[in-house]
Amino acid sequence: MPHFLKTTDADFDSRFTQILGLKREDSPDVDAAVAAIIDDVRRRGDAAVIELTAKFDRLELRPDTLAFTEAEIEAEIARVPEAEREALELAAERIRAYHVRQMPEDALWTDPTGAELGWRWTPVSAAGLYVPGGLASYPSSVLMNAIPAKVAGVERLVVACPTPGGAVNPLVLLAARIAGVDKVYRVGGAQAIAALAYGTATIHPVDKITGPGNAFVAAAKRRVFGKVGIDMIAGPSEILCIADHTANPEWVAIDLLSQAEHDQSAQALLLTPDADLAARVVAEIEKRLETLERREIAGASWRDYGTVIVTRDLAEAARLSDRVAPEHLELCVADPDALAAEIHHAGAIFLGSWTPEAIGDYVGGPNHVLPTARSARFSSGLSVLDFLKRTTLAKMSMNSLAAIGPSAETLAKSESLQAHGLSVRARLDALNATK
Amino acid sequence: MPHFLKTTDADFDSRFTQILGLKREDSPDVDAAVAAIIDDVRRRGDAAVIELTAKFDRLELRPDTLAFTEAEIEAEIARVPEAEREALELAAERIRAYHVRQMPEDALWTDPTGAELGWRWTPVSAAGLYVPGGLASYPSSVLMNAIPAKVAGVERLVVACPTPGGAVNPLVLLAARIAGVDKVYRVGGAQAIAALAYGTATIHPVDKITGPGNAFVAAAKRRVFGKVGIDMIAGPSEILCIADHTANPEWVAIDLLSQAEHDQSAQALLLTPDADLAARVVAEIEKRLETLERREIAGASWRDYGTVIVTRDLAEAARLSDRVAPEHLELCVADPDALAAEIHHAGAIFLGSWTPEAIGDYVGGPNHVLPTARSARFSSGLSVLDFLKRTTLAKMSMNSLAAIGPSAETLAKSESLQAHGLSVRARLDALNATK
């Protein structure tokens, strides 16, 4: 049974706070093992990568087979059925169209003193995208990571994906091809992250690493952060649905299960002022859990973390949702635009009953890499900005230096940074001498 | 003596690579101590913060004296000389005017299928700014961190600043007042970071923590990352100056020293095609180092990390600068705009001989919190974006769901995520039933 609360309950606040604090992730401490793997790859390069791949993925590689050849990729993607190819291409096109609009603008202006000020965006030169092997090897995630990088203008984009026993998902290779990935390495785990960050004779280092992975990959990303940029460390998925009497309880039930089926640590929450709807959604979930393919995973998630809250009204639901700051927020209500305006913290909002969250996982256009574990309070989903950086520009005229230089000198002195002050003073003296 | 290289030297590449790899920071391993402090603050709240402040800062506090009162702040800032107050106000005004232009736009559009797509930016609700005590207690950094937060719309903005033995820099309090900070706590170190991240009875938790600090503060920020957002972990400062024959060797020398005086681990580099200029800058630095107040720090930095490279031409200097990806890049050349266009990786560019880097530290307008240690390859200086997050929006119409829903269903099936597919299928069936 999920957690079932009413905001009018006397103990609501303490129970809600307890649910907010539930520790859903049990990350094993692999940090020492990962540190050793990274050291090994830094010291021995390809040889270490090849040995570790033999050990963990039961796959014997040589430097010249670390990457898929063009012919191998062609052969694999030829096996993809036409319907799936077309679906991937539609998804790629829509993701690209959305992300192109995220490209930020450069700026340059002259202020009243005559100083030119501004900034310029430039892409990261090279990016590496980690793609898990096995069950979590999602071609949609390849598109969601690779397309923003290409839109940003990243010159060199590579994928690292373990192929345990040599098995590869042809859809992953097709997604990489469609997205414009330059090279796909048959390497996974901490050894892949180390090779991407530090480089080997065969694998050139990159400047930024993104993409999901297991505990080893996450720990390795944390360790190489600083040497390269990384994206967020993703936790288990979440969905919060705010529904009113106009919502379809069957649809709401399936939507909640669509996140619960990801992971037994995923969390699905329903907030509604309609107690009757709440009961019908719970009943529908119980029914669906009898036949769902991933019923063990989804059932465990719903039992341990599933939460239903009957609220006084929609405004209260919006306030509680902000305290959760959910990764995915569905608004299955009569006026979703009005309700969305009351939301401050959410990774992605899906407005109205015709917008199941799963649309956003594949073909909606927005990115599906989103902040989890309440981090939407302070962070955003993946975007082209993750593959760009900004250089600020400043160019003083003689007039502007004369106008603002003395203040800089004063502040430098107050901070006991003499050379800072002198660097301004030397120019001010030269200006005065020419007068 | 600094490193002195010519790009025509036979061993240039290996020497340059060695300089790029110089480990300048010797961070002590304080992680275990920091973990214990954070645990203590989480368990015992104010009591732990007060004990740790007595221990590390020799200052006895009570819960009601953790924060400065308004009267205490007024009394302190009344001591600031008028010239310094005016300089801080000018700096604040210019920083605000620059950062206001960084505010990103929301977007909402309707795609050809009838789907509404877009995104919305919202501010972080509460932010905490760490300000070091003692020598590195820079009022300019208070402005550089606090103003972008206020421009972004952060509702609650607090400062934590240690006051060893009760000593406080009145300019720090004045900068906080000018920038609109709500509260200043007399707390520093890992205990301040823990209190800001987890909250105590007196110190409310924040969502984002920014600002520089010592090894304890840096380790604590790394540890609380995920619970709250943090800014970058800043390393020692860097300046790279590209100069041609039009540059003034005295000015270039002082500019290089203005970063060297920050820290003996700071790095100053000069790249010039003019061997004569190089020699004159080196001589001028030697001379200035005889009298500079911080000559021990600046001298150690210049001796250990200072680097002069005579290049074939300016284009080669630009390419080498990109390999350094310097925090601060000065272009003391005849045509700085043309040269800037060749640069891809730098935190901030200062164009032309009238723009000493120190202008950017105080009154230029752009932020002085910039990526160090070659991280300008993948990251940017502090901006209003650090205090905002983006929520993506998607709203399907019946028509758009009919158009793209089947592709989502196909991809969900290919990833073995049945409920994902069913959530789309249930709606498509309803659509078909109404036809």
Side-chain angles (χ1 to χ4, degrees), chain A residues 120 207 258 343 377 420, chain B residues 120 207 258 343 377 395 420:
Chain A
R120 212 177 54 190
D207 302 299
S258 78
I343 298 293
R377 292 177 296 122
H420 283 64
Chain B
R120 211 177 55 190
D207 302 301
S258 78
I343 298 293
R377 292 176 298 122
K395 183 185 188 182
H420 283 65

Side-chain angles (χ1 to χ4, degrees), chain A residues 328-384:
Chain A
H328 304 103
L329 172 60
E330 271 193 17
L331 303 180
C332 298
V333 296
D335 187 351
D337 296 287
L339 190 56
E342 295 179 47
I343 298 293
H344 301 92
H345 311 300
I349 305 182
F350 303 87
L351 293 100
S353 284
W354 295 105
T355 317
E357 186 279 330
I359 283 289
D361 283 335
Y362 298 112
V363 295
N367 211 288
H368 79 195
V369 180
L370 293 165
T372 58
R374 308 190 56 216
S375 64
R377 292 177 296 122
F378 54 80
S379 63
S380 311
L382 199 70
S383 78
V384 296

Side-chain angles (χ1 to χ4, degrees), chain A residues 6 66 76 125-126 161-162 178 181 197 284 337 347 356 362 367 386 419:
Chain A
K6 291 182 180 163
L66 278 175
E76 287 292 338
S125 293
C161 178
I178 289 171
V181 168
E284 179 70 21
D337 296 287
Y362 298 112
N367 211 288
D386 291 288

